[in-house]
Amino acid sequence: MRSRKSPDRFRILQQRARNQFKQAYAAPPACLVAAPGRVNLIGEHTDYNDGFVLPAAIDRHVVIAAAPRADRMVRVTALDLGRSSTFSLDDLRYDEVERWSNYTRGVAWALQGAGYALPGLDMVLTSDVPIASGLSSSAAIEVAVAYVFQTLGNLALDGVRRALLSQQAENDFVGMRCGIMDQYIISLGKRDHALLIDCRSLEYQPVPIPAGCSLIVCDTKKRRGLVDSEYNTRRSECEEGARLLGVKALRDVTPEEFERRADELSPVVRRRCRHIVTEDQRVLDAVQSLKGGDLARFGTLMNASHVSLRDDYQVSCAELDAMVEAAWRQEGVLGARMTGAGFGGCTVNLVRSEATAAFVVDVPRAYQAATGLEPEVYVCSAEEGVHLR
Ligand code: GLA
């Protein structure tokens, strides 16, 4: 976990952004910004219920090379897509054609809406965060763009505000009602740590990733399908549960209270609420186990989180279950679960260091035999949030 697995990869990404910028604009960029992807260790779908999450930023990045312009135009080139988009800061509209550019437009829109004066920009963007895998490639773009505006426009913006405005871009400009977790961890991540985030107070506590184990992400290669509509349905079901239980958010219900009053809810809403209420408790217990060095207990809580997401929250799928089950059968695995919104994407695994080499061979093989899909496996390190290179 502590070894830096991909410094070359990251260096190449930065060189690519810098060189392509020079080629396009015949001048070096004024700044180079890197924003990581993220993986969530535990605490799924709790963020929009004012609850607790425990994500880490990972060693996969969006890198942007940028320079200010004298006018009010923003020009952004996505190297990996081979596409460019230009827009005016005085006319920020959703682009139906260059949809990828809406993360950039949305952030400019949210920052200006909050009263920040923005400079025009030239930007060249490249990324090795896999797209649509549940590792937050789009939130990484949002936070990176916010950081570029902040740096080149000298904006007084702290990490939490940056996260909130990036989330607002996603919620109100792009139209996905996500919680705060992704933008928060990408904005404020700490090397070698996960962050326990209280999604109500927006305070965090860094929790060291323990030595002696690897953090492994397995991409099922099942692209997240239904996710937007199902995500919004889950949110509404949680809101209904909170209303029926007479609380501001499900964060305010303890597992004991929930058990006492579960009968007041319809079967579906009851299941959704049970997941959230028990998951919040699991996050707090998981942090205690990490602090006490009890990795076995931490792993058990990860496994329980998966079962709850599969059976109560119903956001897993056959591929995620197959990957998690392959990991559960593997020697040296402390815990394994789906991570992110669900319906495809990735699993997160905590594996004893000495069992890592066998894991990265055996688990993909078992998964492929079960599903016919060829997965991707990343041994990750926990990294800094958005920063200048
Ligand atoms: C997506 C959202 C997050 C969070 C997770 C589920 O990643 O963007 O806000 O709700 O799903 O935990």
Side-chain angles (χ1 to χ4, degrees):
M1 178 60 208
R2 282 173 194 277
S3 60
R4 301 278 156 246
K5 298 293 181 321
S6 49
D8 284 349
R9 217 190 146 89
F10 191 24
R11 197 166 38 78
I12 292 165
L13 208 61
Q14 293 169 52
Q15 267 164 8
R16 180 155 191 253
R18 194 178 279 119
N19 292 342
Q20 295 289 325
F21 187 97
K22 269 193 215 152
Q23 232 172 54
Y25 300 106
C31 74
L32 203 65
V33 163
R38 69 97 186 89
V39 67
N40 189 19
L41 300 187
I42 193 161
E44 220 63 81
H45 290 276
T46 43
D47 62 349
Y48 53 83
N49 290 294
D50 280 4
F52 301 99
V53 292
L54 188 67
I58 58 171
D59 53 339
R60 292 276 167 151
H61 295 89
V62 166
V63 173
I64 300 182
R69 293 170 56 114
D71 60 15
R72 300 269 300 153
M73 302 305 288
V74 173
R75 175 161 176 204
V76 52
T77 300
L79 292 180
D80 313 294
L81 303 178
R83 315 279 309 174
S84 285
S85 171
T86 305
F87 57 90
S88 164
L89 289 169
D90 298 319
D91 183 22
L92 289 166
R93 271 176 296 162
Y94 190 90
D95 190 327
E96 293 287 353
V97 182
E98 304 292 344
R99 284 170 175 263
W100 60 274
S101 74
N102 289 315
Y103 300 110
T104 304
R105 292 163 190 263
V107 168
W109 172 83
L111 288 168
Q112 286 198 151
Y116 291 100
L118 304 186
L121 292 178
D122 287 323
M123 288 190 276
V124 165
L125 182 157
T126 182
S127 168
D128 67 352
V129 187
I131 292 172
S133 293
L135 300 178
S136 292
S137 57
S138 47
I141 296 176
E142 290 157 358
V143 175
V145 169
Y147 203 73
V148 170
F149 275 120
Q150 176 176 357
T151 305
L152 297 180
N154 290 316
L155 312 185
L157 202 59
D158 66 16
V160 172
R161 185 105 171 103
R162 183 167 60 232
L164 285 168
L165 290 168
S166 300
Q167 182 201 17
Q168 197 195 339
E170 179 94 33
N171 287 172
D172 300 336
F173 194 89
V174 177
M176 163 80 179
R177 291 184 69 206
C178 67
I180 189 63
M181 171 171 73
D182 305 345
Q183 289 82 3
Y184 193 112
I185 184 66
I186 291 167
S187 194
L188 286 153
K190 300 268 171 276
R191 174 166 285 195
D192 294 330
H193 290 75
L195 299 189
L196 168 64
I197 304 167
D198 178 333
C199 299
R200 171 170 280 167
S201 71
L202 296 181
E203 284 164 348
Y204 75 88
Q205 197 183 315
V207 182
I209 303 277
C213 59
S214 302
L215 187 59
I216 306 181
V217 170
C218 297
D219 187 345
T220 61
K221 287 295 172 82
K222 162 89 164 75
R223 290 294 165 244
R224 296 174 308 152
L226 289 167
V227 69
D228 289 9
S229 63
E230 289 293 332
Y231 188 92
N232 290 342
T233 308
R234 294 298 180 286
R235 273 197 83 143
S236 307
E237 288 163 349
C238 289
E239 282 158 12
E240 190 188 337
R243 189 176 53 76
L244 292 170
L245 293 170
V247 290
K248 179 160 178 285
L250 292 177
R251 144 74 173 274
D252 299 310
V253 183
T254 64
E256 297 73 37
E257 271 161 0
F258 172 75
E259 283 311 324
R260 270 203 312 277
R261 299 191 51 194
D263 290 351
E264 296 169 36
L265 307 171
S266 71
V268 169
V269 172
R270 189 185 311 151
R271 283 179 155 185
R272 306 301 186 243
C273 293
R274 185 164 53 209
H275 167 70
I276 300 300
V277 168
T278 57
E279 184 80 349
D280 270 332
Q281 189 59 47
R282 277 188 291 272
V283 177
L284 298 176
D285 292 347
V287 169
Q288 284 316 313
S289 356
L290 273 192
K291 285 184 177 164
D294 189 348
L295 289 185
R297 168 104 181 108
F298 187 87
T300 306
L301 291 161
M302 286 176 80
N303 298 346
S305 166
H306 184 78
V307 170
S308 177
L309 287 158
R310 183 190 67 195
D311 298 346
D312 277 342
Y313 218 60
Q314 297 181 301
V315 292
S316 189
C317 61
E319 293 80 2
L320 285 167
D321 291 343
M323 190 74 89
V324 165
E325 281 157 23
W328 284 347
R329 287 193 298 269
Q330 181 74 14
E331 189 98 22
V333 173
L334 293 155
R337 55 181 287 277
M338 56 155 277
T339 186
F343 299 103
C346 292
T347 66
V348 58
N349 305 265
L350 200 64
V351 181
R352 291 196 191 284
S353 300
E354 62 276 15
T356 303
F359 181 102
V360 302
V361 174
D362 296 348
V363 171
R365 191 183 287 154
Y367 172 77
Q368 193 162 352
T371 62
L373 289 171
E374 196 178 328
E376 191 108 29
V377 175
Y378 315 108
V379 180
C380 295
S381 52
E383 294 295 334
E384 282 298 297
V386 68
H387 61 281
L388 285 175
R389 299 301 299 175

